[in-house]
Every structure is written in structure tokens, then in C-alpha cells.
Amino acid sequence: IDKNITKFDHYYKSSISGASINNNIVRGFYEDADSNLWIATDGGGLNFFDRKKRHYVAYDHDTADPTSIKSNAVLTFCEVNGSLWVGTWQGGINVLDIKTKTFRQIDPSNPQLRSVFYLIKDSNGNVWASTFGGGISKIDINTEQVRSYLHDPSNPLSLSSDITPCIMADSDGNIWVGTQDSGVNLLTKENIDDGIFRRFGLSGNDSLMLQSKLINHIFEDSKKNIWIATSGGLTRFEMSK
């Protein structure tokens, strides 16, 4: 903890245009190369804060403008080759061209990408999306080809749930998926093409057993420990060497 911090600055919605964020429900941040902030709001679209000018710009849905963002519920984003990929609720993945300030959608007719909780990049030129009801999807950054991984009740090696609030790519190229109702799934880099998942839940003989099936976040620390935030506590997992 920085002992020099003596107070918190609070930023709220104001009635003055450009003077504040346009919605008080904030889901996340991204700092770009110019040290400006992109702010995900749940109801106000995407907000941009120019730190030098101390000015806000809101990018929200406009039914009359096909190049506007498709939903005002922004849940996640990641930077891809100078563009900002934005995951929304009921509006899919929107790509913002930062120069033209226009949006386009990734595979807009794909129902698996309708509501996106989390977007991450891996080290192999892919973006991964975790979704509500659509499992997880791998998107090739160059071709934008989408491959979805879904739960198959008849296949115990498939993804254990199609509701996946979080996803993480570790330093070894493995993909970790947190579900809302059935624990953690591990897709090792060797099994990405085959779509074979290893499941971790509340019981079994695995080295990783969880206290809750609802997963909120997954994080890898500098020592390659995997930390899993659940509704029943925090779990640390060390991969076998």
C-alpha cells in the first residue's frame, strides 16, 4: 500500500456534457499508448477520457448510425493491432477504429458471440472471448475466423458450461476458463485444436478442488501460480513441473 495516498478522487456522472463519464456503472478500464483512458460502462457505452484535455467523449448506440457501437452495455475490451475490440451484452464484439471513431462487428450473425463477458489475447495471434450462453470462442486476429467451443452433455471432455464469466491465457499458452455453474476448465495448448478440456470442480481426485462452482476471475502470478477467485473463497493452484 502506498502510504503517500491520503485520499481517493471520485468521478461521477455529471449533467455537463464532456465533463464526466456518462454512466456510473463502470465495468473496466484500458489505458492506451497516449495514456488516455477507455472506460467500459454498463448502460452508457464506451467512454473515452483525454487526460491532457481533461475531457470525456461517450460512444453510445445510435439506431440511426450503423457505425455506432451496437450496445450500451460494455463489459470488456482489448487492444488489437491499434484497434479496440469491445465486448458487449447483447451487442456482440465491436471493433473501434480509433482514427475514424467508427465501429464494426466481428461475425455479427454468430449467436455464440451475442453477449461477451471477457476478451483476451494469446501469444499466437488469437483473441479469446468468454460469453453468456455461447461457451468460449477463438478468433484469428488476421482472418477473423471464429471457432467456438461449447458444452456437449454427451462428452465429458467438452467445456463443462456455456456460461463463462472469465477466461485467461497463461504464460505457457494454456487457456483457463471460469464458468458460472461448474467450476474451472483447462484447455492446454496441446489440446486447443482437438478441443479437449480438463475440468476442475467441487469433487473428484484432481489436485485442484474448488470451494465453489461460480468462478469470478482467474489470474497467473509471476511464479506461475494460478489464482482462482470464486464465490466461496480464493484458490491457488500450482501447475505440475
Side-chain angles (χ1 to χ4, degrees):
I1 299 174
D2 187 346
K3 296 181 179 179
N4 294 319
I5 295 177
T6 57
K7 69 182 182 69
F8 290 93
D9 291 325
H10 299 282
Y11 299 85
Y12 300 105
K13 178 182 178 181
S14 166
S15 59
I16 303 173
S17 177
S20 72
I21 54 177
N22 72 342
N23 188 281
N24 287 331
I25 304 176
V26 176
R27 298 296 299 257
F29 305 89
Y30 166 71
E31 184 179 38
D32 65 23
D34 297 319
S35 298
N36 297 310
L37 286 181
W38 295 88
I39 305 163
T41 76
D42 193 349
L46 181 66
N47 283 223
F48 171 75
F49 178 50
D50 188 316
R51 279 180 160 167
K52 292 180 180 179
K53 298 179 180 179
R54 307 294 297 179
H55 181 76
Y56 291 84
V57 178
Y59 298 92
D60 51 13
H61 177 58
D62 181 353
T63 56
D65 182 2
T67 67
S68 70
I69 195 168
K70 295 301 184 288
S71 169
N72 286 332
V74 176
L75 306 183
T76 181
F77 34 49
C78 69
E79 186 275 332
V80 179
N81 296 335
S83 297
L84 197 63
W85 289 35
V86 183
T88 71
W89 181 262
Q90 297 292 302
I93 299 174
N94 295 240
V95 178
L96 172 63
D97 185 314
I98 295 177
K99 292 182 179 180
T100 65
K101 304 298 188 293
T102 57
F103 292 85
R104 62 179 179 84
Q105 279 186 289
I106 297 289
D107 200 1
S109 62
N110 189 334
Q112 316 304 341
L113 298 178
R114 180 69 174 163
S115 292
V116 178
F117 284 126
Y118 220 89
L119 292 171
I120 61 166
K121 287 189 297 185
D122 67 16
S123 57
N124 295 313
N126 301 300
V127 169
W128 292 80
S130 68
T131 74
F132 178 82
I136 65 170
S137 289
K138 176 171 67 78
I139 308 164
D140 185 290
I141 290 173
N142 296 315
T143 66
E144 298 186 2
Q145 182 177 356
V146 179
R147 177 184 176 182
S148 295
Y149 300 80
L150 299 169
H151 173 59
D152 179 354
S154 65
N155 181 7
L157 299 179
S158 70
L159 188 67
S160 65
S161 171
D162 286 333
I163 305 176
T164 55
C166 56
I167 189 168
M168 188 269 290
D170 70 22
S171 56
D172 292 323
N174 305 309
I175 303 298
W176 295 78
V177 184
T179 73
Q180 181 173 286
D181 50 10
S182 59
V184 170
N185 290 233
L186 171 61
L187 181 63
T188 63
K189 62 182 179 181
E190 294 84 6
N191 288 324
I192 287 176
D193 288 342
D194 295 327
I196 298 174
F197 291 83
R198 180 182 176 189
R199 300 177 180 179
F200 301 100
L202 303 185
S203 62
N205 298 319
D206 279 312
S207 54
L208 172 58
M209 289 180 60
L210 303 171
Q211 300 302 309
S212 170
K213 294 185 291 184
L214 196 164
I215 311 303
N216 297 312
H217 193 68
I218 304 176
F219 173 76
E220 181 186 28
D221 68 21
S222 59
K223 297 181 179 180
K224 294 191 175 184
N225 295 307
I226 304 299
W227 294 84
I228 302 168
T230 80
S231 63
L234 184 64
T235 299
R236 180 176 68 88
F237 177 65
E238 182 178 356
M239 290 285 284
S240 300
K241 295 182 174 59

